[in-house]
Amino acid sequence: MNTLAGKVAIVTGASSGIGHAAARLFASAGAKVVVSARRQHELDALVEAIAGVGGTAVAIAGDVCDERLSQRLVATALERFGGLDIAFNNAGIIGPMGPLQDMKSSDWHDIMHTNLNGAFLGAKHQIPALLQRGGGSLLFTSSFVGHTAGMPGMAAYGASKAGILGLTKCLAAELGPSGIRVNALLPGGTDTPASITNAPDAGPEVLAFVENLHALKRMATPEEIARAALYLASEDASFVTGTAMLVDGGVSISRT
């Protein structure tokens, strides 16, 4: 179903996981997609896969901490596809985990810079292009961590993701009169390469623990989270803005 037919989208963090699944889903729904992440090879493979099923995508590698990348992504959307309708600022890192008092200041700044500053830099350059179209959908990936739950050892991550919620709410109020909807997606545990369950030292007990935190007693696939992003990006969510949309398998309410 071509729910995004004629639309142009930017997706960051697209080399794997949620961003990769969202880019493919957006393209299959009819959007022309500008994809970005730090790994060029994986992005090239994604563009090839999208083209292989009749979609259209272009890849630009870079770091979301670099403002020049945000500028280039928007410029590419405008020059190659004529505008911008959807921006999914998904790139992020978990960073080193552990007690706050043992954390290096440099690690704190890296997490905040990637997760929160990266969202700011993306939005800063995406908003003018969305305004040129008379509206659109601006999405951020946040987390239940720092919103409905605190997780030991994840203070920096939780703080950065909570900051995204504040950014989302203020931008939704600011941009609503111009027809731009702004929403945050809050996934639960998702089976991606960045998940703590896929860390080199994570045994089966880590996976079992994380799965059991959820009411559904399992983790999400990236495609499940991507379908929620597609909803928020599409006109199906035409009256949805300023939300912290939990797609978390019940981890926020589970006590069993």
Side-chain angles (χ1 to χ4, degrees):
M1 188 174 180
N2 291 331
T3 56
L4 301 184
K7 303 296 185 182
V8 180
I10 289 172
V11 180
T12 67
S15 60
S16 65
I18 293 168
H20 187 277
R24 295 191 66 159
L25 187 59
F26 286 11
S28 71
K32 295 178 174 64
V33 187
V34 181
V35 296
S36 184
R38 288 179 291 185
R39 296 177 294 174
Q40 185 71 57
H41 178 74
E42 285 77 0
L43 289 176
D44 290 341
L46 172 59
V47 169
E48 185 176 348
I50 289 173
V53 293
T56 302
V58 60
I60 298 175
D63 190 332
V64 292
C65 296
D66 184 352
E67 187 166 2
R68 292 170 297 181
L69 174 67
S70 297
Q71 294 171 316
R72 190 177 173 198
L73 292 175
V74 173
T76 300
L78 297 178
E79 293 164 7
R80 293 286 296 272
F81 303 133
L84 180 66
D85 304 285
I86 300 156
F88 185 19
N89 295 289
N90 167 73
I93 60 173
I94 295 175
M97 296 174 60
L100 185 70
Q101 64 270 25
D102 297 333
M103 181 175 235
K104 295 178 181 177
S105 295
S106 59
D107 288 335
W108 171 276
H109 288 297
D110 285 345
I111 294 168
M112 297 298 290
H113 197 25
T114 301
N115 294 352
L116 189 51
N117 289 5
F120 153 69
L121 291 173
K124 175 183 176 181
H125 295 285
Q126 293 153 6
I127 289 167
L130 293 170
L131 289 171
Q132 288 178 21
R133 294 286 246 199
S137 178
L138 182 59
L139 304 177
F140 301 98
T141 298
S142 181
S143 174
F144 72 96
V145 179
H147 179 56
T148 61
M151 302 290 283
M154 301 187 75
Y157 178 81
S160 68
K161 292 298 188 178
I164 286 175
L165 295 181
L167 177 66
T168 296
K169 292 173 184 179
C170 290
L171 287 179
E174 182 176 317
L175 298 171
S178 300
I180 298 175
R181 297 181 296 104
V182 188
N183 292 287
L185 193 62
L186 282 64
T190 306
D191 186 14
T192 71
S195 170
I196 60 173
T197 60
N198 290 320
D201 58 347
E205 71 283 356
V206 175
L207 175 60
F209 173 78
V210 172
E211 287 182 330
N212 192 60
L213 292 173
H214 297 74
L216 295 179
K217 303 306 177 188
R218 66 176 180 85
M219 295 177 70
T221 66
E223 289 74 20
E224 288 178 299
I225 308 302
R227 286 197 289 272
L230 175 61
Y231 165 71
L232 290 175
S234 75
E235 288 303 308
D236 289 340
S238 59
F239 203 60
V240 180
T241 195
T243 65
M245 183 175 174
L246 289 164
V247 190
D248 69 352
V251 71
S252 296
I253 53 87
S254 180
R255 299 294 184 269
T256 60

